[in-house]
Amino acid sequence: MIAMVAILDLVANFDEFAGGERGGDLAGRWQHEIVEPHAEIFAAVEPWVDPRLAPDRLPGLVARRTELRTVAERAKIAIREAARLLTEKLGLDHPIPAVVMVGLGQANGWVASVQGEPTLFIGAEQLPKPSFDIVLALHELVHLAHVRRSTHDWPANRVDADLFREGLAVHATARLLPEVPPSGHLWFSADAQPWIERCAGMAARLRSRALRELDRTDVSEQWFSGAMDRPGGLPGRCGYWLGWQLLDQILGPEPIEAALDWSLPEAAARLRTALSQG
């Protein structure tokens, strides 16, 4: 049996808003018509949907009204297919809450707690092309399953925690969707091969630096954000690549679900051992 997926479609609300009167304070209308009726949701997602960006971002999003309605339907299909794949692998039996919405262009997918329930969010304006949309939904559902099982008390922005959870999500999507090339699992696109080769070429340096920074909370952005072509010592988002390498090394062919229950000290110890082994 596939876990029940309950999807809240906030793109429909955005469509009504976008079809309204275009004059006046667009950000103010968005706040009144979209944010306030769903205040609890928007409070939960503020790290990914910053209202301070609304005045600059909304005109372009409103212009995409017709496209976003179509994309929202594709997002729902992707979420349901990801739920099917993960249910077959992990035997999920808890309903999966999901929200498809128009964000402000900051993120394509994430997990946030709403009324204490980990919830999957997809930003329709950033949804990847098919079939990378399913990879994204599956990646975020792995995070959701991980939060439910063991990570409610894991810190944000700590290198070992982020290496493990992002590495686990990429490891899982690669195991469940082996036909997708590495670029799709890491960037939800087909054009990341030069970036992958750059990361691989400096693997020893990345491992050495990660080993020194595992318990730091002030460098996460250097590891898990940034553009594909970012110059400097750390390629943008290279923590996703390194995390995947480490989880492949730690888990090998062992079941994914075993890792969902590890505490942070146990996960961190396994990461340290894997990094030390090279």
Side-chain angles (χ1 to χ4, degrees), residues 82-183:
R84 182 190 68 79
L85 289 166
L86 205 58
T87 299
E88 291 179 354
K89 188 66 177 179
L90 300 183
L92 300 180
D93 57 4
H94 194 290
I96 297 170
V99 178
V100 178
M101 66 186 300
V102 178
L104 294 173
Q106 294 168 265
N108 50 21
W110 63 94
V111 172
S113 181
V114 180
Q115 295 184 340
E117 182 66 50
T119 302
L120 166 66
F121 287 84
I122 296 292
E125 79 284 6
Q126 293 274 73
L127 188 70
K129 297 177 181 178
S131 58
F132 301 125
D133 50 1
I134 297 173
V135 183
L136 170 65
L138 183 58
H139 180 107
E140 298 303 333
L141 278 180
V142 173
H143 284 323
L144 187 149
H146 194 201
V147 170
R148 281 182 174 171
R149 295 277 284 269
S150 68
T151 66
H152 286 284
D153 60 346
W154 282 31
N157 299 324
R158 193 168 123 170
V159 174
D160 51 9
D162 286 339
L163 272 176
F164 191 85
R165 54 188 156 218
E166 296 300 349
L168 179 62
V170 181
H171 172 86
T173 65
R175 290 268 294 268
L176 295 173
L177 294 169
E179 69 278 10
V180 175
S183 180

Side-chain angles (χ1 to χ4, degrees), residues 189-243:
S189 73
D191 58 358
Q193 191 56 37
W195 173 88
I196 291 172
E197 292 171 2
R198 182 183 173 201
C199 290
M202 56 192 305
R205 289 166 54 195
L206 293 178
R207 283 173 171 267
S208 176
R209 179 164 174 173
L211 190 58
R212 297 193 306 270
E213 297 183 350
L214 278 179
D215 60 355
R216 288 183 61 172
T217 59
D218 60 335
V219 294
S220 187
E221 286 191 5
Q222 297 178 42
W223 286 98
F224 298 97
S225 64
M228 204 178 291
D229 59 352
R230 184 179 69 186
L234 289 179
R237 286 171 52 95
C238 63
Y240 288 81
W241 179 86
L242 181 58

